[in-house]
Amino acid sequence: MSKVPMRTRTTFKDSNIDTFLMFEELHVILPGQKFKFIEGKQTVQFSLQPSLIDEINSGKRDGQFRNEIQFRVWNFTNSEDWAEIYLCIEVNNYPVFVPQPSPHIIYITAYCALEKNFSNHLKISSPRPEVLENFAFCLSIVARFTPAEIIEQHPLKEVFNATKALANNMMNGVEDRRFALGLYDLAGNVINEPCRSNVCDHPEVFDLETFLKNMQYNLQWKCPICAKKIKYQDLEIDRFLKRMKMNGKTVLHFYKRRNPKKFQQMCGDEIICEQEIIVID
């Protein structure tokens, strides 16, 4: 398998350049431009050259498009915190399912006519157009990469002692000095590749591949546990928890016990020193 390249996203005006691994831009159909709603909507027409149609069709795998027509939205200011956006999209009079709030990346290939000289119509509207004042959009043909390909071509750092240190910090603020960590995701499935960001300070982890599947439609990523803004390069595999999972332990109990030790002072008085020990059950 060929090396998955790092990709730089298209920009409108001057803005910070982010790297994004989930796709590679192959051709620009419509360069980046601001939203310009007239009577609450904006309509764009575009045609595909035969060579582009062939490129899209030739990239199919198991009936799925590998090369896709992508509608992409981003904030072109220097703002670090992007507002949530709300989009409604129709392609050739067919409504495209778009979650609300909307993702930054929407694939519309299945709604387009892949025919020579056919004029595809893209209609954009928003229930909150004022939020899109600092956003731009473009249309591109991109090659998509699966989470498994990203993980293989861009392996992450593995850490071993992070969970114990983070659990220790958490237990310092807990009265009973106990903490339980389950290796399950929100759907109740066992986490296969325990992962967290190095900018986060919680011991809880999430599954790497599931996270990448969920984030492939967003240009800004957030930790699913604490909502801090993170990037792929911030992620780390927790090798300790991965080993625990492989040994069949999916719930770990951390607690601190205090071992009193007596020391004899020269004057004969006793001093009791409490030594804290982290225990994992």
Side-chain angles (χ1 to χ4, degrees):
M1 183 174 58
S2 60
K3 178 76 173 178
V4 177
M6 299 283 284
R7 195 200 65 81
T8 302
R9 68 175 171 87
T10 308
T11 58
F12 175 79
K13 293 187 177 180
D14 295 328
S15 63
N16 295 328
I17 304 298
D18 296 332
T19 54
F20 199 72
L21 301 177
M22 303 303 293
F23 63 86
E24 176 192 6
E25 189 171 74
L26 303 176
H27 305 281
V28 176
I29 301 174
L30 183 71
Q33 59 183 268
K34 289 188 66 174
F35 288 94
K36 297 179 181 179
F37 293 111
I38 300 176
E39 296 182 353
K41 64 182 179 181
Q42 181 172 356
T43 301
V44 175
Q45 298 183 36
F46 64 95
S47 299
L48 299 172
Q49 297 295 324
S51 59
L52 299 183
I53 296 173
D54 291 341
E55 189 165 9
I56 293 172
N57 287 324
S58 64
K60 271 191 174 182
R61 292 184 182 178
D62 300 323
Q64 300 292 321
F65 289 107
R66 170 78 170 191
N67 300 334
E68 290 230 47
I69 301 173
Q70 181 196 81
F71 177 84
R72 186 165 72 254
V73 181
W74 67 93
N75 188 308
F76 58 77
T77 69
N78 292 324
S79 173
E80 289 291 327
D81 297 314
W82 296 3
E84 291 183 335
I85 60 175
Y86 299 83
L87 291 168
C88 300
I89 293 178
E90 292 183 14
V91 178
N92 299 326
N93 295 322
Y94 288 97
V96 178
F97 172 73
V98 181
Q100 304 296 328
S102 305
H104 305 122
I105 296 171
I106 301 168
Y107 292 101
I108 62 173
T109 315
Y111 300 86
C112 295
L114 303 180
E115 301 174 8
K116 180 181 178 181
N117 298 326
F118 186 92
S119 180
N120 289 280
H121 288 70
L122 171 67
K123 184 187 295 183
I124 311 164
S125 60
S126 173
R128 297 182 59 187
E130 71 281 357
V131 177
L132 296 167
E133 178 65 27
N134 295 325
F135 284 82
F137 72 93
C138 70
L139 275 179
S140 304
I141 295 178
V142 303
R144 299 179 66 177
F145 303 115
T146 66
E149 289 173 329
I150 299 301
I151 295 169
E152 179 182 351
Q153 296 298 326
H154 299 279
L156 294 172
K157 177 183 177 182
E158 294 190 354
V159 294
F160 190 81
N161 294 318
T163 297
K164 295 179 182 178
L166 293 170
N168 177 52
N169 293 337
M170 176 171 285
M171 286 186 291
N172 285 336
V174 179
E175 186 174 350
D176 62 3
R177 308 172 71 78
R178 293 176 180 269
F179 169 71
L181 176 63
L183 298 182
Y184 297 94
D185 60 19
L186 294 177
N189 302 312
V190 176
I191 293 174
N192 290 317
E193 199 77 357
C195 176
R196 76 171 67 81
S197 167
N198 57 25
V199 303
C200 299
D201 54 9
H202 49 76
E204 293 90 349
V205 292
F206 49 85
D207 183 71
L208 175 59
E209 188 163 348
T210 301
F211 174 75
L212 293 180
K213 287 179 180 178
N214 293 335
M215 290 295 106
Q216 64 181 314
Y217 303 104
N218 291 283
L219 294 175
Q220 279 199 337
W221 291 3
K222 291 183 178 180
C223 171
I225 297 170
C226 67
K228 282 186 179 179
K229 192 169 67 174
I230 60 177
K231 296 181 180 180
Y232 182 84
Q233 293 81 356
D234 301 328
L235 302 179
E236 296 175 340
I237 302 297
D238 195 304
R239 193 155 55 94
F240 167 73
L241 293 181
K242 189 174 182 178
R243 189 177 71 178
M244 291 293 103
K245 191 267 297 186
M246 293 177 65
N247 291 335
K249 293 186 72 70
T250 54
V251 178
L252 303 178
H253 295 274
F254 296 78
Y255 63 93
K256 281 187 175 182
R257 69 183 183 203
R258 290 186 170 125
N259 288 347
K261 291 188 176 181
K262 294 183 178 180
F263 297 89
Q264 197 77 22
Q265 281 189 326
M266 292 183 63
C267 62
D269 295 334
E270 288 185 342
I271 297 177
I272 297 178
C273 175
E274 291 186 337
Q275 180 184 17
E276 294 185 339
I277 302 175
I278 299 177
V279 180
I280 303 174
D281 185 11

